[in-house]
Amino acid sequence: MYLLRFPNHPGCHLYIEVGIEKAGNFLAVCDEIASLFDMYMPARDEMPLRVSIVRAEGSPCCYRGSHEIYLNTEIRYVSQAAYQFAHEMCHYRIPYLVAENLRWLEESICETASHFYMRRLAHVYAERDGHVLLKAYAPQFAEYSDKVLKESRDVDLADPLQIRRMELNWYLREENRCVAAKLLPLFEQRPALWQAVPFLGDIPPGFSLSDSFSIWKKTAPAVSRRALGEMQSLFM
């Protein structure tokens, strides 16, 4: 069993049982994604984190209380690792439990995070000369994102019945991906919107979607409020 520290995040560690000799790229990718989150979606509080590779039903998943993220992948699958880690890191950076009627939105935003940060990762490594293997690998992060987004089922964001269906089952992955595909251009055009995401858990349960957005805009950083209004308009 090995505990490897993220190079640029002393409080973050990768826990693996085997494959330490092949862990370099995996660790570098997770560390770079954490740096991108620091840039676009900074944590409200500094928290330690342990990332474990667990080939089991129920993962990937995030446990905020114990400061753990479990990934369901293998050490050599760096695109899959990036996809899963960005999703779970998005959950992790929301410090409070999201209201049940908004968890479909949380899942959809975290799915958006996978694609946003993978595409940013591709750009970072394409421009960087210090890591030859990942520089050559860079286009595959974006290709992986494109492939996953095609595995979706269309959702009319303005249809209350379709939103209600997702409220009742927030793990409709094909629908989550469709919502993510519609949210992604907004997050790319208005990256300050990521600063609002950690405040999603501050919205009390039981409010309508419209009222939830109104509360969210009051609690989120001012720099993100205009973009939140644009996001809300997608659901009208």
Side-chain angles (χ1 to χ4, degrees), residues 25-26 28-34 37 71 73-74 77-89 110-111 113-119 121-122 125 134 137 140-142 144:
N25 287 345
F26 192 103
V29 164
C30 290
D31 187 56
E32 192 64 53
I33 288 175
F37 268 86
L71 304 180
T73 185
E74 293 184 18
Y77 296 152
V78 291
S79 285
Q80 188 176 60
Y83 172 76
Q84 293 184 9
F85 182 63
H87 182 112
E88 300 307 327
M89 180 62 92
C110 290
E111 178 70 23
S114 289
H115 303 286
F116 178 92
Y117 288 101
M118 287 188 79
R119 290 160 191 250
L121 191 66
Y125 281 125
L134 286 175
Y137 192 87
Q140 295 187 42
F141 293 114
Y144 189 98

